[in-house]
Amino acid sequence: DRARELLDHALESDPSHGPVWTAYGLLEARHGTLARARQNFLTGISRSPHHAPLYRTYGQAEARSGNYARARELFSEGLRRDPRHAPLYHAFAEFEAMLGNVEGLAALKASAEKYFGSEDDATRVIRNGEESIGAAVADVAEDSFEYTSKSTPMELALDNV
């Protein structure tokens, strides 16, 4: 209950803060209150529609509940809104791999290569000892760094609630 109070207070200060809505949805999902989690994710998406972690976390919650079609919709919409959010590609790829959707994985790979480069690009950089893989790819990597771990600090904190 204390975590909910703190999240409610944060949302009073900034009702369009995507990370707080993500945390709130994740808290409810982790406590098994999926209807409340869905409501929080949906409200968060309506107020912060370009916050990709909302789509990733909501999609993962739906996938864990067996709602695969909905999870796929959420992952797809999140990538449409923010095609440079690498952790969303990763979560979507894990989901498609779990379902054995090879075609889906190939499509995700092709889409990701537009923004992040290909395996051949990475191999070339490693072989040639190049310091830069391109400004656009480096910027994306830097911007996405905080979301790259499996468990973000927010997720770890909510595990202890």
Side-chain angles (χ1 to χ4, degrees), residues 11 59 69 94 107 121 137:
L11 289 170
E94 283 182 329
D121 293 337
V137 174

Side-chain angles (χ1 to χ4, degrees), residues 14-158:
D14 184 358
S16 63
H17 196 260
V20 176
W21 287 110
T22 303
Y24 216 154
L26 182 62
L27 173 75
E28 298 297 353
R30 293 252 171 110
H31 282 90
T33 51
L34 192 56
R36 284 162 68 177
R38 286 179 176 132
Q39 185 58 48
N40 286 324
F41 286 129
L42 288 170
T43 303
I45 286 170
S46 73
R47 294 185 180 173
S48 185
H50 296 285
H51 186 66
L54 274 165
Y55 298 91
R56 177 178 55 93
T57 309
Y58 187 10
Q60 289 169 321
E62 291 293 355
R64 278 189 218 101
S65 297
N67 300 319
Y68 301 136
R70 181 68 177 138
R72 186 174 284 121
E73 289 171 5
L74 290 161
F75 292 138
S76 295
E77 179 63 17
L79 287 176
R80 190 183 73 69
R81 299 278 185 159
D82 185 358
R84 294 185 181 273
H85 190 70
L88 186 50
Y89 280 99
H90 183 89
F92 200 176
E94 283 182 329
F95 168 77
E96 295 296 8
M98 176 189 75
L99 297 178
N101 184 359
V102 176
E103 293 83 14
L105 285 168
L108 278 171
K109 181 180 179 210
S111 179
E113 285 179 348
K114 293 177 195 172
Y115 299 100
F116 304 106
S118 67
E119 279 183 67
D120 291 339
D121 293 337
T123 301
R124 176 185 45 78
V125 168
I126 292 168
R127 278 198 196 132
N128 297 334
E130 295 175 28
E131 292 182 20
S132 176
I133 54 177
V137 174
D139 287 346
V140 168
E142 188 174 309
D143 291 345
S144 298
F145 180 73
E146 70 180 279
Y147 298 111
T148 57
S149 66
K150 272 278 196 202
S151 296
T152 65
M154 174 184 60
E155 291 167 328
L156 293 172
L158 290 173

